[in-house]
Amino acid sequence: MAFLSIREFGYDSRPEAVAPPSAAHRHPAAAAVDVIDSLDGLEALEADWRVLEDKAARPTQLFQSFDWCAAWSRARAGDRCVGVAIITVRIDGRLVLVWPLMRVCVGPLCILRWLSDPYSQYGDVLIARDVDREAVLGAAWSRIRTLPGVDAIRLRHVRSDALAATFLSRHCRPAGEADTAPALDLTQFADEAAYDKRYNKTQRRRRRRIRQELEQRGALEFRLLRSGPEFDRLVGRIIDEKRHWLIERGLHSRPLADPHLADFIRGLAAGRKLDVVLSVLSCAGEAVAFEIGLRFGRHHFGYITAHDHTLTDASPARLHMDLSQRRALNDGMRVFDLMVPGDPHKVSWSNMAAPVFDFCAPLSPLGRLYSFVYLEGVRPVIRRLYHRASPQMRRRIKRLTRA
């Protein structure tokens, strides 16, 4: 199967064409730029944020939605080393930009990151469609660069089709190696029969064998959960299974290592617009494979996948992914997004990918040391060694790449 970029494949996540901005909005000389630095301030912004989101948000801006940012901020409200720093721009009193950021302490450094990084998978900015994008971004950027005490701005996982991508590429330095975000364009399949044709004979035979081996243990059942006691219990189970899988391979994930993750997911499920769907594959009544999925508009994000680690050799995760993509297709989703990183197993379930970049802007001498020496020099070398190393060696060096 050919693996195509978004442009090559013909998929375009940009909003529909709109009329050019009016003269009143083209040059926001009277724009009011503010910084929201508290949970109370974030929640007071809800009504205006949701209006902007409803009118202008793209599916891939799930991680800039009010539901996402509020749930994360509530879960981390007691963390002294993380501080909300949301940049807003208003023109004539109307909210036209939300740039969700946070201050993070890394040793002696104060770094500005996307709000919820590394929980979030894509970084971007919500902007009204009828304003001069560059001018509004420029007004917000000028304020960001003057925030007191910040040593560097580090913005990860910016898709090439993000609203902020071109602006950041001009005002920041690249930080780290580029990656890809694989996804499956479900609009290519009229129904499940068409979806099934994407597999070759070997792949069909493998999936049939997996199903038959699991059915020998008992009847299979695939379900979607959205709330309730079973949902809450399985969120904890999924995180535990994923942590076990990572530990066995000497891998590290900061979100999965975070004790707040389960509470965050449960809080996220109470959102108004963001749909959290937990899919579970059961065998003989016992859950064997799972996914915490996020749906925003008609875009499905496979956020966390896991399986019973005692059944790894039976490959329940492969069958679960197949069933999850079929369910998303039947539910009217247009895209099944596997997100960064562009690992080979994700590519095998995809037919398109978006390039993804990291950016950094040093603001102090210490920030320049962090950017030039660590992000651009030391860290890429450590990461290459890390991914080539044995599980035992990975455990020894993983601390060096957490910044």
Side-chain angles (χ1 to χ4, degrees):
M1 178 187 301
F3 188 58
L4 307 175
S5 71
I6 283 177
R7 288 186 177 180
E8 290 170 327
F9 198 81
Y11 173 76
D12 191 347
S13 64
R14 292 173 295 183
E16 64 273 15
V18 296
S22 65
H25 289 149
R26 191 180 300 277
H27 300 292
V33 185
D34 292 312
V35 181
I36 309 301
D37 58 4
S38 69
L39 178 58
D40 288 343
L42 183 156
E43 293 183 333
L45 195 62
E46 177 177 358
D48 288 345
W49 191 327
R50 288 192 185 279
V51 169
L52 175 61
E53 181 182 318
D54 289 343
K55 292 181 177 179
R58 302 175 175 187
T60 51
Q61 290 179 317
L62 154 69
F63 306 104
Q64 290 75 54
S65 69
F66 179 83
D67 286 340
W68 177 273
C69 293
W72 183 90
S73 299
R74 291 167 187 147
R76 299 299 297 268
D79 192 335
R80 295 183 178 181
C81 203
V82 175
V84 171
I86 301 169
I87 311 302
T88 65
V89 177
R90 292 179 183 271
I91 298 178
D92 299 330
R94 180 172 68 101
L95 185 67
V96 298
L97 175 144
V98 174
W99 192 325
L101 298 170
M102 64 182 183
R103 298 171 185 261
V104 180
C105 304
V106 181
L109 288 158
C110 177
I111 301 173
L112 211 57
R113 291 180 170 170
W114 297 116
L115 183 66
S116 81
D117 179 28
Y119 284 76
S120 60
Q121 295 296 292
Y122 301 138
D124 203 357
V125 178
L126 289 179
I127 308 176
R129 299 183 184 183
D130 62 343
V131 300
D132 185 323
R133 184 189 304 172
E134 291 297 304
V136 172
L137 282 168
W141 184 250
S142 296
R143 183 63 179 273
I144 290 170
R145 289 184 58 86
T146 60
L147 289 176
V150 177
D151 295 295
I153 305 166
R154 186 185 179 200
L155 303 174
R156 302 169 63 241
H157 297 174
V158 179
R159 292 168 58 101
S160 60
D161 58 351
L163 292 179
T166 301
F167 182 90
L168 292 176
S169 69
R170 291 202 303 265
H171 292 83
C172 299
R173 298 178 62 85
E177 299 176 354
D179 207 333
T180 59
L184 181 68
D185 181 2
L186 294 171
T187 65
Q188 301 298 303
F189 314 114
D191 50 31
E192 282 196 56
Y195 170 88
D196 197 58
K197 290 179 181 178
R198 67 186 296 261
Y199 297 129
N200 58 38
K201 290 183 179 180
T202 301
Q203 291 171 325
R204 290 193 188 96
R205 189 161 46 245
R206 183 186 301 125
R207 280 156 183 73
R208 193 160 50 243
R209 184 177 67 249
I210 292 170
R211 178 182 283 275
Q212 290 171 348
E213 290 178 357
L214 287 172
E215 286 177 336
Q216 290 176 3
R217 301 170 182 265
L220 299 179
E221 182 184 17
F222 181 84
R223 295 178 294 139
L224 246 59
L225 304 171
R226 283 182 165 84
S227 62
E230 186 179 11
F231 176 98
D232 292 343
R233 177 179 61 81
L234 285 175
V235 166
R237 168 85 184 279
I238 291 168
I239 293 171
D240 288 343
E241 292 286 4
K242 193 69 172 187
R243 286 171 178 165
H244 189 281
W245 184 88
L246 291 168
I247 289 170
E248 281 187 336
R249 289 156 181 77
L251 299 172
H252 175 73
S253 166
R254 280 188 293 158
L256 285 160
D258 193 320
H260 301 284
L261 179 59
D263 288 340
F264 165 63
I265 297 295
R266 293 172 186 134
L268 195 63
R272 283 169 42 187
K273 185 175 179 182
L274 196 163
D275 189 15
V276 182
V277 292
L278 192 159
S279 59
V280 53
L281 173 65
S282 298
C283 180
E286 295 294 327
V288 297
F290 329 81
E291 178 197 75
I292 296 174
L294 310 172
R295 291 182 176 180
F296 193 63
R298 297 175 68 184
H299 205 106
H300 179 101
F301 300 83
Y303 190 56
I304 301 176
T305 59
H307 64 274
D308 184 334
H309 65 273
T310 66
L311 295 176
T312 296
D313 291 342
S315 301
R318 284 182 179 270
L319 179 57
H320 178 278
M321 179 62 77
D322 175 81
L323 294 172
S324 183
Q325 291 191 334
R326 290 174 188 268
R327 178 59 184 266
L329 172 64
N330 289 328
D331 286 349
M333 297 293 105
R334 296 176 59 85
V335 176
F336 192 103
D337 200 324
L338 291 97
M339 302 177 291
V340 288
D343 292 334
H345 75 277
K346 293 183 180 182
V347 170
S348 70
W349 290 99
S350 306
N351 57 14
M352 62 180 181
V356 178
F357 306 95
D358 293 356
F359 296 102
C360 183
L363 301 179
S364 73
L366 193 59
R368 286 189 284 275
L369 188 67
Y370 169 76
S371 176
F372 302 150
V373 176
Y374 177 67
L375 288 182
E376 297 182 31
V378 175
R379 192 171 188 274
V381 174
I382 293 175
R383 284 182 60 82
R384 283 194 291 271
L385 293 174
Y386 174 80
H387 289 293
R388 295 173 184 171
S390 66
Q392 294 78 12
M393 183 60 69
R394 285 174 181 166
R395 296 188 188 102
R396 296 178 185 176
I397 65 177
K398 66 184 179 182
R399 297 184 186 89
L400 299 175
T401 62
R402 292 182 184 177

